[in-house]
Amino acid sequence: MDAGTTQILCFFVNGKKVTENHADPETMLLSYLREKLRLTGTKYGCGGGGCGACTVMVSRYQPGTKTTLHYSANACLLPVCQLHGAAVTTVEGIGSTKTRLHPVQERIAKAHGSQCGFCTPGMVMSMYSLLRSRPQPTLEDITEALAGNLCRCTGYRPIVDGCKTFCQESNCCQANGNAGCCLNEKETIDEPEHVMPQLFDKDEFLPVDPTQELIFPPELILMAEKQPQHMQTFQGERMTWMSPVSLEELVQLKASHPRAPLVLGNTSIGPDIKFKGVLHPVIISPTRVEDLFEVTQTPQGVWVGAGCSLSGVRSVLEGLVKQLSHEKTELFRALIHQLATMGGQQIRNVATLGGNIVSAYPNSDLNPVLAAGNCKLSVISNGGRREIRLNQDFFVGFGKTALKPEDIVISVFIPVSRKGELVRAYRQAPRKENALATVTTGMRVVFSEGSGVVQELSIYYGGVGPCTVSATKTCTAITGRPWDDQTLSQAYDVLLEELALPPSAPGGKVEFRRSLMLSLLFKFNLEVQQKLREMNVIPEDLSDRMQSGIQPLPNQIQASRQEFQNVSEGQSDQDPVGRPIMHRSALSQATGEAVYCDDIPSTEGELFMVVVTSTRPHARILELDVSQSLRVPGVVDVITWKDIPGKKTRTFCGYEEELLAEKEVLCVGQMVCAVVADSRVHAKRGAAVVKISYEDLPDPVFTVEEAIERKSFFEPHRVIERGNVMEAFKSVDQIYEGGIHLGGQEHFYMETQSMVVVPVGEEREFKVHVSCQAPTFTQEAVAETLAVPSNRVTCHVKRIGGAFGGKVTKTTILACITSVAAWKTDRAVRCVLERGEDMLITGARHPVLGKYKVGFMKDGRIMAADIQYYANAGSTADESTLVTEKILLHVDNAYNIPNLRGQSVACRTNLPSNTAFRGFGVPQSIMVVESMLNDVAMVLGRPAEEIREVNMYRGPSITHYKFEFDPENLLRCWEECKAKSNYSTRRTAISQFNQHNCWKKRGMAIVPIKYGIAFSEGFLNQAAALVHIYKDGSVLVSHGGAEMGQGVHTKIQQVVSRELCIPSSQIYISETSTNIVPNTCPSAASFGTDANGMAVKNACQILYQRLEPIRKHNPGGSWESWVSKAFFQKISLSATGFYRGPDLYMDWEKMEGQAFAYFTYGACCSEVELDCLTDSEDGHRGGHW
């Protein structure tokens, strides 16, 4: 190492200087913030820059312009070694409940934009970063800034509602929640005659005050302007990081280390290291080499530095579009179109143009456009500079280009367009924003003036091969010929032959991708025809019907309004029940102060656990070799089934599930052993070298169809019937048979499975901090696993960062394994799954195959239906048989079918076990039923809503399991939904739209729902609570519900406030803990608030009754005086409450029961616009009641 090299890293975090003498190149900012600086507001959500939970703001001083650049970035992909001279701002740095809230924090919280709260700090920082660069943003700016942030429970409406209060168009419809502008809207939503209560009053919000923001540290300004720049080198355990400051140093380094990657944004290399285990001994980071960031404009085009961020490239191109004539900016506008939806804002702010090109991903958004646009690269190496064209010879394979290992891309030349030139870019992706493209393309055509003969043509595709590919033969077939239908018809055939995708092509969806190739070329054809008309080459305009093929889908925030019933006039102002109360933890969540499981500080000597999973779907374990793992530095032990002191399995639905596989694995992702080490990094490295030898077993089962063929099921096989279905089929007018196959769904709760098990140190006592919906269930499982009584295990749940049913069974198993590690090592052990591990291990919503036979009359009345459900349960039973039962209990949905038979079974396959998921089988059940009704409507040629309406329950009714109910509210929801959505008017408008548009179509549906509340197993509906009143009048409440974003603590607080007649500010709910409230039931079945609320109400009534003599004696006294008096009179100020719950049951032999406490009803109307050429869709308008 030469004398000019320094190893001191200097940057600022929230205004405080941070110096690091030995930074590890493998350390990302996220782990540094959370583990080193204990700033846990920045969350781990996915680790790959895809969810935005770890968003921070990075600020850098620009000496050339003497300005400061602020931008949002994903801390999970930002190496700390790259932060020299930067200022980082986290959610803790902009405001707190202890000092002063920032307006962004306040508005998201008070607009009800935070439920579980795990995504909220990231949302706050994305919005904050936007405001620092654009103090008066437009609504488009806001939606773009938030597009890189995912939310799984709140939904985006309230988040955007809070953020758009910052819009400069404060009086515009869009800023006030309406789509588009009132001047352009033909339809208006009828205003109610009376003023509706509002969710929040924006006039009460704190104003934005730029003077209160953190200033950029003057020390960093001086360092940037005065301090000599030297090459930096940081040496880690396995990797060396080198950061040159000049182009000459960079060339020398690359020549010395030709295999070393160049890292600027780390959006490609970072995920490879993290998810694929790629190890680079040397990394070169040229972020300080100014030559890579220069932008030079020439008459022929613009040279853009390869190190420029994608956001920077977009800004440059947008400036040129404003500056140059329209005909010269065809390529610029095509690139801007692609850049607008590439990744999220955080990714675009750091990902570079050069990095995007040389990564050579098959489905790159930019490379097909750059190649089609005749762009070129300026490349340098020890051999000097040269220019390389971006064409079919440049991209040579998956992730490979024609560049030599020592080559460095300096800049990219993007030419201006010529007269008669047309350039277009298209992409199709699962989502419009922040999603990898399925197919992308760049197309460029040149016509000579006044001619329709093709002079030049370039067509490049991404997503249809191992790299960006050129449709050379297709271009040859068109070039030199007039652009007309005959030419294009032949070209389509050539294209399909030229870019043939084999059935086994990586990425799947082969037929879809092939059709997209044609559709995108057809879109280009329509654009070319329009261009030729503008050039007066062809006489006819593109017809209105065909114009729809090139018009973009609507991209607006739709009008939104949430109506709710106001409280009665006589209700006390102090009584919060029925009022739109902000989530009690929303402010703490918005400031990053809310503590989640992995935010709990580490204890001395704490270990980290990583599980090792099976790589085979069905195999016998021959050998488990952990010797190499135990030699990894930092690894303490490896836990196997042999280490479990107590019960080695868990029982779900009568079936045993192994905690750790002993002799055989049943699916990929089954847990086999666990590595325990002194850090997360060392545990991962230890897990990576565990060797498992397998002997594959024959005939694994993967699909429902295979399970049916082999009769691979979990018992019981449930059947329910009313009436006589077979007889009814004989008397109906028509019979139709059909079916539908529903895929699964990943929970994707923002907080992955997390737990910390702490041995107390005496009498085999353990504290389990866990993110789970069923604390008692976890307590019992850990106790049985460790062979100790339940009173030795205390389970604590502060809050959960989303669950949706996915944090019950597998969470329990993971907690058991973690507890074994803590028991064996006698040290605290933490286990936090990475996103990929979580998705692999925990299962998802059950995929379901539904088959039906339905008999109906000509007037639409369904007289008989026989419906069969086959759910893919996976390799173990989990809760699958319970899911199939609930499927049958909702097989009627909202319809009174006199002769109805339902059958359901859980299919046993060699996939990770599927589990509970929001709705617990009801969405699948209803989807099959609604598909059946749609088919009936199709056969009869009538609107589906008419078939739904004629078959609805009416008057006093009884379900197919003999449960009596009144459907009045169901019908009210249905009628209100139809009326307030202007259903009939909109259907007429949709019909006219579809007649006038060939390639865009709109559809509309209105669907009712009847949903059963509570557990069908009556014992699960009980709840208990403990309420303490302290001498100062404050109240502490404990209950058995787990707070996971649904607001159970907030609603409990409202109950206590009403029952004790005290303000909510005097009530506190700390956590859910099994040593305070024992024997709790899971927070599930939409009954957590009902049960626990009643238990708390019972406790409060007991306490209030105890205070009654004192209140009567001193009716004018304060709450505090009554409490103080009660203490001195030796009246107990603590009470337990209990709620027995309804005695629900279901007798499957008799096919009858009181399965639910009651039903909730709803109706939803949705209008969708579809691009028939690409299968892209937009939720045009919607609403639910």
Side-chain angles (χ1 to χ4, degrees):
M1 193 177 297
D2 61 64
T5 302
T6 176
Q7 285 188 313
I8 299 176
L9 178 69
C10 176
F11 62 103
F12 277 67
V13 175
N14 297 335
K16 296 180 180 179
K17 185 176 180 180
V18 176
T19 55
E20 190 67 42
N21 293 327
H22 301 286
D24 190 329
E26 294 186 75
T27 300
M28 297 297 115
L29 176 61
L30 176 61
S31 59
Y32 192 87
L33 290 172
R34 293 183 58 82
E35 297 169 15
K36 185 73 179 286
L37 303 183
R38 289 300 305 154
L39 294 172
T40 57
T42 308
K43 306 300 183 189
Y44 169 86
C46 69
C51 73
C54 65
T55 301
V56 297
M57 186 181 79
V58 179
S59 305
R60 290 188 181 273
Y61 182 71
Q62 312 291 305
T65 59
K66 296 190 181 301
T67 58
T68 303
L69 176 66
H70 305 288
Y71 58 91
S72 58
N74 295 116
C76 67
L77 291 179
L78 199 57
V80 290
C81 292
Q82 211 167 53
L83 292 172
H84 188 70
V88 175
T89 305
T90 72
V91 70
E92 295 95 339
I94 69 171
S96 77
T97 59
K98 300 173 185 175
T99 54
R100 180 182 183 274
L101 291 172
H102 190 276
V104 175
Q105 296 168 325
E106 180 201 33
R107 297 185 192 193
I108 283 184
K110 292 184 177 178
H112 309 277
S114 182
Q115 286 189 12
C116 89
F118 202 81
C119 73
T120 307
M123 295 281 183
V124 166
M125 291 311 300
S126 288
M127 187 63 205
Y128 176 79
S129 302
L130 173 64
L131 290 178
R132 289 302 302 268
S133 56
R134 296 190 183 182
Q136 292 186 318
T138 64
L139 186 61
E140 183 180 343
D141 292 332
I142 291 170
T143 54
E144 187 174 292
L146 296 177
N149 295 74
L150 297 183
C151 174
R152 283 291 286 126
C153 58
T154 308
Y156 297 94
R157 182 192 60 80
I159 295 170
V160 173
D161 282 351
C163 292
K164 69 187 178 187
T165 59
F166 294 103
C167 277
Q168 58 182 346
E169 310 99 330
S170 57
N171 295 318
C172 178
C173 300
Q174 288 196 26
N176 290 307
N178 295 330
C181 180
C182 56
L183 300 176
N184 300 325
E185 280 290 321
K186 296 180 181 179
E187 292 181 36
T188 58
I189 299 176
D190 295 333
E191 290 296 325
E193 295 180 1
H194 60 285
V195 178
M196 296 297 297
Q198 299 299 306
L199 288 169
F200 60 88
D201 183 357
K202 65 181 182 181
D203 294 331
E204 296 179 358
F205 290 151
L206 292 169
V208 179
D209 185 358
T211 65
Q212 297 299 307
E213 307 295 1
L214 286 171
I215 64 170
F216 189 81
E219 182 178 342
L220 294 183
I221 296 177
L222 289 173
M223 191 169 76
E225 292 184 337
K226 308 291 185 182
Q227 185 174 314
Q229 299 291 306
H230 299 291
M231 188 176 80
Q232 290 181 317
T233 301
F234 299 102
Q235 182 70 53
E237 287 187 36
R238 305 187 302 168
M239 187 183 293
T240 301
W241 180 281
M242 297 181 176
S243 176
V245 294
S246 68
L247 187 59
E248 293 75 18
E249 285 182 344
L250 175 58
V251 172
Q252 290 173 11
L253 282 175
K254 193 66 169 131
S256 302
H257 307 279
R259 298 296 173 185
L262 301 185
V263 172
L264 288 99
N266 201 42
T267 56
S268 176
I269 301 299
D272 282 350
I273 293 173
K274 182 177 181 63
F275 301 122
K276 298 179 182 178
V278 176
L279 177 62
H280 298 285
V282 175
I283 281 182
I284 302 171
S285 179
T287 54
R288 299 182 295 159
V289 178
E290 293 181 1
D291 304 67
L292 299 183
F293 301 91
E294 292 180 353
V295 176
T296 305
Q297 187 177 349
T298 70
Q300 293 76 35
V302 60
W303 284 97
V304 181
C308 291
S309 70
L310 298 181
S311 294
V313 173
R314 181 181 176 186
S315 180
V316 168
L317 296 177
E318 286 175 340
L320 290 172
V321 167
K322 293 177 182 178
Q323 174 187 335
L324 301 175
S325 63
H326 189 79
E327 68 178 25
K328 290 186 176 182
T329 61
E330 285 283 337
L331 179 55
F332 297 166
R333 284 182 279 113
L335 287 168
I336 291 169
H337 173 77
Q338 295 296 77
L339 286 166
T341 53
M342 266 188 71
Q345 186 68 52
Q346 299 93 320
I347 293 293
R348 294 195 295 270
N349 287 339
V350 297
T352 63
L353 177 61
N356 191 273
I357 293 170
V358 301
S359 295
Y361 284 126
N363 55 348
S364 168
D365 289 283
L366 294 185
N367 284 340
V369 191
L370 294 168
N374 254 344
C375 296
K376 57 186 178 181
L377 307 179
S378 175
V379 177
I380 193 171
S381 66
N382 258 347
R385 286 181 184 253
R386 69 186 192 282
E387 292 183 359
I388 300 178
R389 291 217 165 265
L390 277 173
N391 54 29
Q392 67 268 24
D393 298 324
F394 181 80
F395 303 102
V396 297
F398 180 84
K400 296 179 181 178
T401 67
L403 293 173
K404 300 173 183 177
E406 64 273 15
D407 285 341
I408 300 166
V409 178
I410 300 297
S411 57
V412 181
F413 180 72
I414 306 174
V416 296
S417 305
R418 294 173 283 167
K419 194 170 184 178
E421 185 172 16
L422 180 73
V423 184
R424 288 294 181 268
Y426 306 103
R427 77 189 298 265
Q428 199 284 338
R431 297 186 308 277
K432 285 186 289 188
E433 299 163 323
N434 202 22
L436 295 175
T438 304
V439 172
T440 64
T441 183
M443 302 183 183
R444 181 181 66 91
V445 65
V446 181
F447 297 98
S448 55
E449 190 171 354
S451 170
V453 176
V454 177
Q455 188 176 337
E456 290 180 33
L457 179 65
S458 296
I459 299 175
Y460 284 81
Y461 282 99
V464 297
C467 59
T468 299
V469 295
S470 171
T472 308
K473 293 180 181 178
T474 306
C475 294
T476 301
I478 299 175
T479 303
R481 300 178 62 184
W483 189 283
D484 54 27
D485 290 342
Q486 181 180 354
T487 301
L488 267 294
S489 178
Q490 295 173 5
Y492 295 139
D493 294 332
V494 176
L495 179 63
L496 284 178
E497 183 179 345
E498 179 180 12
L499 301 181
L501 273 173
S504 60
K509 299 188 287 188
V510 169
E511 289 303 315
F512 180 46
R513 288 192 282 167
R514 283 168 58 85
S515 68
L516 280 174
M517 290 190 325
L518 295 177
S519 295
L520 297 179
L521 179 56
F522 180 74
K523 274 181 173 285
F524 188 59
N525 170 36
L526 296 178
E527 301 246 25
V528 170
Q529 289 186 44
Q530 192 175 45
K531 176 76 172 179
L532 292 175
R533 175 66 187 92
E534 292 172 1
M535 294 168 59
N536 294 317
V537 173
I538 58 176
E540 297 178 358
D541 285 326
L542 202 61
S543 69
D544 290 341
R545 293 190 78 244
M546 300 303 287
Q547 280 272 1
S548 64
I550 56 177
Q551 291 169 350
L553 288 167
N555 188 27
Q556 296 174 325
I557 298 293
Q558 300 302 319
S560 65
R561 183 173 69 199
Q562 183 172 343
E563 297 181 5
F564 55 95
Q565 183 177 345
N566 209 347
V567 299
S568 60
E569 291 184 8
Q571 183 168 321
S572 167
D573 291 341
Q574 185 177 281
D575 183 355
V577 174
R579 302 184 193 276
I581 303 298
M582 176 181 67
H583 192 293
R584 67 175 303 277
S585 298
L587 292 176
S588 296
Q589 291 165 184
T591 60
E593 296 167 88
V595 178
Y596 297 82
C597 189
D598 194 33
D599 299 337
I600 298 170
S602 300
T603 59
E604 186 177 355
E606 181 179 287
L607 303 175
F608 195 90
M609 188 185 85
V610 170
V611 293
V612 178
T613 57
S614 166
T615 58
R616 296 286 197 278
H618 192 202
R620 186 175 294 109
I621 297 174
L622 300 178
E623 183 184 10
L624 176 59
D625 182 3
V626 301
S627 58
Q628 194 172 343
S629 177
L630 291 170
R631 288 195 291 269
V632 172
V635 170
V636 174
D637 207 342
V638 178
I639 307 301
T640 70
W641 65 272
K642 297 176 183 178
D643 297 306
I644 300 173
K647 189 176 178 183
K648 293 175 171 55
T649 61
R650 297 303 307 156
T651 303
F652 301 116
C653 295
Y655 289 85
E656 296 289 318
E657 181 172 348
E658 291 181 318
L659 301 180
L660 293 169
E662 180 180 348
K663 299 177 181 178
E664 189 177 309
V665 292
L666 303 175
C667 69
V668 173
Q670 183 174 350
M671 291 177 281
V672 179
C673 64
V675 177
V676 185
D678 60 1
S679 71
R680 187 188 312 249
V681 171
H682 291 153
K684 282 184 64 177
R685 291 176 190 168
V689 295
V690 170
K691 295 181 179 178
I692 308 173
S693 299
Y694 300 96
E695 178 190 343
D696 288 326
L697 296 172
D699 302 324
V701 177
F702 298 115
T703 67
V704 165
E705 290 80 1
E706 289 172 344
I708 295 171
E709 181 183 344
R710 301 180 194 176
K711 294 182 172 53
S712 178
F713 305 123
F714 290 108
E715 295 296 334
H717 183 149
R718 295 300 190 193
V719 180
I720 193 166
E721 182 174 6
R722 77 166 168 191
N724 192 323
V725 173
M726 299 311 296
E727 284 298 315
F729 278 139
K730 298 176 182 177
S731 58
V732 296
D733 292 338
Q734 286 183 269
I735 292 176
Y736 181 86
E737 294 187 49
I740 184 172
H741 200 156
L742 308 176
Q745 181 188 4
E746 173 57 40
H747 295 87
F748 210 93
Y749 27 70
M750 293 298 292
E751 176 199 34
T752 60
Q753 301 280 349
S754 306
M755 59 214 62
V756 182
V757 180
V758 183
V760 173
E762 62 176 291
E763 298 193 48
R764 297 182 299 168
E765 184 181 346
F766 292 85
K767 289 184 179 179
V768 181
H769 300 274
V770 62
S771 177
C772 79
Q773 299 171 243
T776 292
F777 190 39
T778 303
Q779 175 198 26
E780 293 169 349
V782 169
E784 290 182 3
T785 301
L786 299 181
V788 300
S790 290
N791 62 8
R792 300 294 203 282
V793 178
T794 305
C795 190
H796 303 266
V797 180
K798 182 72 174 177
R799 59 173 54 82
I800 307 172
F804 320 118
K807 290 183 176 176
V808 181
T809 54
K810 279 296 187 291
T811 310
T812 299
I813 290 177
L814 282 162
C816 290
I817 300 169
T818 309
S819 69
V820 172
W823 168 81
K824 187 179 180 185
T825 61
D826 200 27
R827 292 160 72 175
V829 177
R830 186 180 300 252
C831 177
V832 180
L833 294 188
E834 293 195 344
R835 180 60 63 184
E837 295 171 334
D838 194 297
M839 295 176 73
L840 177 66
I841 292 169
T842 59
R845 188 186 293 280
H846 290 74
V848 166
L849 171 63
K851 298 180 178 181
Y852 45 82
K853 180 179 180 181
V854 56
F856 49 95
M857 310 305 287
K858 292 179 181 178
D859 60 4
R861 287 177 298 126
I862 296 175
M863 306 307 296
D866 188 357
I867 308 177
Q868 300 174 343
Y869 296 89
Y870 300 92
N872 194 328
S875 58
T876 62
D878 201 276
E879 297 186 86
S880 297
T881 57
L882 300 178
V883 170
T884 58
E885 290 178 354
K886 195 161 185 178
I887 282 175
L888 289 190
L889 294 176
H890 287 79
V891 69
D892 59 335
N893 191 18
Y895 311 112
N896 187 8
I897 302 173
N899 302 281
L900 176 65
R901 179 166 61 209
Q903 303 176 60
S904 67
V905 65
C907 298
R908 189 174 204 156
T909 61
N910 294 109
L911 295 175
S913 292
N914 292 311
T915 188
F917 200 127
R918 183 177 259 172
F920 208 73
V922 177
Q924 297 98 309
S925 178
I926 290 176
M927 186 66 184
V928 174
V929 173
E930 295 299 334
S931 175
M932 181 181 76
L933 266 76
N934 284 345
D935 285 346
V936 171
M938 177 189 65
V939 171
L940 293 174
R942 296 175 59 182
E945 66 272 13
E946 290 184 10
I947 305 302
R948 292 186 171 97
E949 194 163 302
V950 77
N951 286 289
M952 277 188 194
Y953 283 107
R954 296 180 184 276
S957 301
I958 185 169
T959 68
H960 52 297
Y961 48 90
K962 301 180 176 61
F963 178 49
E964 296 179 0
F965 74 103
D966 186 347
E968 179 186 353
N969 286 335
L970 169 66
L971 299 173
R972 282 184 59 192
C973 288
W974 177 261
E975 294 300 332
E976 276 191 35
C977 190
K978 284 202 305 180
K980 293 191 175 183
S981 65
N982 297 321
Y983 189 79
S984 57
T985 302
R986 286 166 62 186
R987 278 300 298 264
T988 302
I990 287 171
S991 179
Q992 294 174 353
F993 177 90
N994 291 342
Q995 288 177 9
H996 291 101
N997 291 273
C998 182
W999 303 112
K1000 295 285 194 311
K1001 300 296 179 183
R1002 289 180 183 171
M1004 192 175 185
I1006 180 170
V1007 176
I1009 184 175
K1010 169 178 65 68
Y1011 186 85
I1013 300 297
F1015 293 95
S1016 299
E1017 298 78 14
F1019 71 91
L1020 290 174
N1021 295 312
Q1022 61 181 300
L1026 178 62
V1027 178
H1028 298 314
I1029 303 175
Y1030 291 96
K1031 289 189 289 182
D1032 63 354
S1034 62
V1035 176
L1036 178 65
V1037 180
S1038 299
H1039 62 89
E1043 174 60 65
M1044 51 188 142
Q1046 84 280 39
V1048 63
H1049 287 349
T1050 307
K1051 289 174 271 190
I1052 294 294
Q1053 193 176 46
Q1054 290 175 279
V1055 171
V1056 176
S1057 178
R1058 166 176 281 188
E1059 294 300 324
L1060 296 181
C1061 301
I1062 60 174
S1064 297
S1065 58
Q1066 290 188 274
I1067 304 159
Y1068 185 67
I1069 303 171
S1070 176
E1071 65 174 5
T1072 304
S1073 178
T1074 57
N1075 66 341
I1076 299 175
V1077 178
N1079 308 321
T1080 60
C1081 294
S1083 292
S1086 304
F1087 204 62
T1089 298
D1090 290 41
N1092 290 287
M1094 292 298 288
V1096 168
K1097 179 181 179 181
N1098 175 238
C1100 289
Q1101 289 175 342
I1102 292 171
L1103 289 168
Y1104 205 64
Q1105 187 67 30
R1106 289 177 188 170
L1107 295 174
E1108 184 175 10
I1110 297 174
R1111 290 187 288 109
K1112 285 184 176 180
H1113 184 264
N1114 183 20
S1118 65
W1119 166 257
E1120 290 80 3
S1121 67
W1122 295 338
V1123 171
S1124 178
K1125 189 72 172 178
F1127 175 74
F1128 286 108
Q1129 290 187 7
K1130 296 187 287 187
I1131 296 174
S1132 173
L1133 294 174
S1134 178
T1136 58
F1138 185 73
Y1139 176 61
R1140 192 174 185 276
D1143 294 321
L1144 305 182
Y1145 71 97
M1146 181 62 201
D1147 189 327
W1148 288 98
E1149 295 297 322
K1150 296 181 180 179
M1151 294 189 290
E1152 64 182 46
Q1154 185 87 4
F1156 303 109
Y1158 57 91
F1159 290 122
T1160 56
Y1161 308 99
C1164 179
C1165 171
S1166 181
E1167 181 180 337
V1168 173
E1169 186 170 329
L1170 179 71
D1171 185 331
C1172 301
L1173 293 173
T1174 64
D1175 197 36
S1176 300
E1177 55 85 19
D1178 176 78
H1180 193 63
R1181 284 179 64 182
H1184 54 270
W1185 281 263

